[in-house]
Amino acid sequence: MVFQDPYASLNPRQTVRRTLEDPLRVHGVTATSEIEGRVATMLRHVGLRPEQADRYPHEFSGGQRQRIGIARALILNPKIVICDEPVSALDVSIRAQIINLLLELKDTLGLSYIMISHDLGVVEHMSDRVAVMYLGRIVENGDWREIFERPAHPYTQALISAIPDPLHHAPLATTGGDLPNPLNPPDGCAFSPRCRYAEAVCRREPGPSLEARDDGHAVRCWRSDEIAGQAALASAEGQRP
């Protein structure tokens, strides 16, 4: 796991070396030479120097701390890494560096990421497949290009329309109302009280099952074909849906 806040996710009383060594020891790596070698190698992988291993977190910048968090996540050679908003707490100038580092490590180490993010720009840049959730349920998933070019759920449309895009001036696909209480969701489709496409069936039924079409695109919406067609038309005209 790579956590969201690099200022809160590292133990301030542990050196970087201790932070990276502990997972190895817990998982049965005891040879000092192997531990030292893997710590040094991993620090190089994330763009830090092995001689920085004896420093404490407060001696590093936010971007460097997140690199330490990434090194900790990778020290046991996992195949899947969960990234929970890994750049949201960082300065804009540092975000691109961390995103590029994650992509480079994915290719170098053969990793798969589960990326949790509210930043659709980061999702678009990093993802192969995208799943959109609303009120705890997946409402749309598919190939990233299909999701961003032909979003077929109104909530996905609203999210994509909110991406800052100075080159396009199409009206945003905004939503109305407030987020419902997750403990007491509305009847039918949970998004229907805020949806400009909602019909009577949307307020009665929760939506069709999330079954993928031939292209792998799956949508939980009664009017998904119509919405996807409008999105495709907007994309062809060079506008956000």
Side-chain angles (χ1 to χ4, degrees):
M1 180 101 172
V2 177
F3 295 93
Q4 178 175 356
D5 187 355
Y7 293 92
S9 60
L10 298 175
N11 189 333
R13 296 178 177 84
Q14 286 188 353
T15 63
V16 172
R17 184 183 306 281
R18 175 71 183 277
T19 296
L20 299 184
E21 286 181 350
D22 278 355
L24 293 172
R25 297 186 189 280
V26 167
H27 285 267
V29 180
T30 58
T32 300
S33 59
E34 181 179 357
I35 291 174
E36 291 180 351
R38 289 176 66 168
V39 168
T41 297
M42 190 52 63
L43 287 174
R44 293 191 187 97
H45 272 316
V46 299
L48 298 174
R49 302 189 307 275
E51 55 267 29
Q52 293 176 296
D54 293 313
R55 297 183 183 179
Y56 288 86
H58 73 270
E59 299 179 76
F60 295 90
S61 67
Q64 289 174 320
R65 293 188 197 196
Q66 195 62 306
R67 289 173 187 268
I68 296 167
I70 294 169
R72 176 179 57 186
L74 299 181
I75 196 69
L76 291 171
N77 299 321
K79 291 300 181 185
I80 298 177
V81 178
I82 300 174
C83 299
D84 180 14
E85 298 271 12
V87 298
S88 64
L90 302 176
D91 292 341
V92 174
S93 59
I94 304 298
R95 291 183 184 183
Q97 297 178 22
I98 299 301
I99 290 171
N100 290 334
L101 171 64
L102 288 169
L103 291 173
E104 179 184 331
L105 290 170
K106 178 174 74 74
D107 294 335
T108 302
L109 303 178
L111 301 171
S112 294
Y113 295 132
I114 297 176
M115 171 74 67
I116 303 164
S117 180
H118 292 88
D119 188 332
L120 270 291
V122 172
V123 171
E124 184 176 14
H125 186 66
M126 292 196 64
S127 300
D128 297 309
R129 292 188 60 81
V130 176
V132 179
M133 296 187 71
Y134 183 78
L135 219 66
R137 299 185 77 189
I138 294 177
V139 296
E140 184 169 6
N141 66 45
D143 175 80
W144 75 269
R145 189 179 300 278
E146 185 76 9
I147 294 292
F148 280 89
E149 292 184 358
R150 297 181 70 250
H153 194 282
Y155 181 59
T156 308
Q157 279 196 0
L159 291 176
I160 293 173
S161 294
I163 300 174
D165 190 347
L167 298 180
H168 303 301
H169 304 285
L172 297 179
T174 56
T175 60
D178 297 321
L179 185 71
N181 183 352
L183 298 178
N184 185 28
D187 294 332
C189 171
F191 190 65
S192 61
R194 308 176 66 194
C195 180
R196 56 179 174 159
Y197 298 100
E199 298 178 331
V201 66
C202 305
R203 298 180 177 89
R204 293 195 311 267
E205 305 292 339
S209 61
L210 197 68
E211 295 181 0
R213 303 192 300 245
D214 291 340
D215 58 4
H217 194 168
V219 190
R220 196 187 302 275
C221 178
W222 293 113
R223 301 182 64 185
S224 60
D225 290 340
E226 175 188 347
I227 295 170
Q230 293 181 8
L233 179 62
S235 178
E237 295 174 350
Q239 300 176 336
R240 291 289 185 191

